[in-house]
Amino acid sequence: MWVLYSACIAVVLSIAIRLIAGRNSVVPPWRDVTSIASGVLVGAAVYIAATAAAHVESQIAVSSALLWFTAAISSVHAIRESRRSHG
């Protein structure tokens, strides 16, 4: 269950990053290839770590991976957009 709790914390932190960085996005997150790629990598890593190393049930591992996937996408997108608008 720690994997699921950490994923929920990651989503809350990604929302905070998005609020702090601002919402002035020119490109939506689902069209930002770098954000999607980071989400896929993080989601796959969490799933592999949860199933292989921690021996977590597959449903919890998938749920955690999807939450980490969304957290990574929104965080990376907010940071990229913040840097784009300030730099």
Side-chain angles (χ1 to χ4, degrees):
M1 288 302 279
W2 61 269
V3 177
L4 194 57
Y5 294 140
S6 68
C8 292
I9 292 170
V11 170
V12 169
L13 289 176
S14 72
I15 292 169
I17 289 171
R18 185 128 173 104
L19 290 174
I20 292 169
R23 298 185 190 177
N24 302 343
S25 64
V26 176
V27 177
W30 59 88
R31 296 188 74 195
D32 187 7
V33 177
T34 305
S35 298
I36 297 293
S38 68
V40 168
L41 290 175
V42 168
V46 166
Y47 180 76
I48 290 169
T51 56
H55 303 292
V56 176
E57 295 178 20
S58 63
Q59 295 148 340
I60 294 175
V62 169
S63 299
S64 300
L66 289 174
L67 286 171
W68 275 98
F69 172 76
T70 58
I73 289 174
S74 62
S75 297
V76 170
H77 184 70
I79 292 169
R80 284 177 48 108
E81 288 296 320
S82 175
R83 286 186 172 194
R84 190 177 296 150
S85 67
H86 295 302

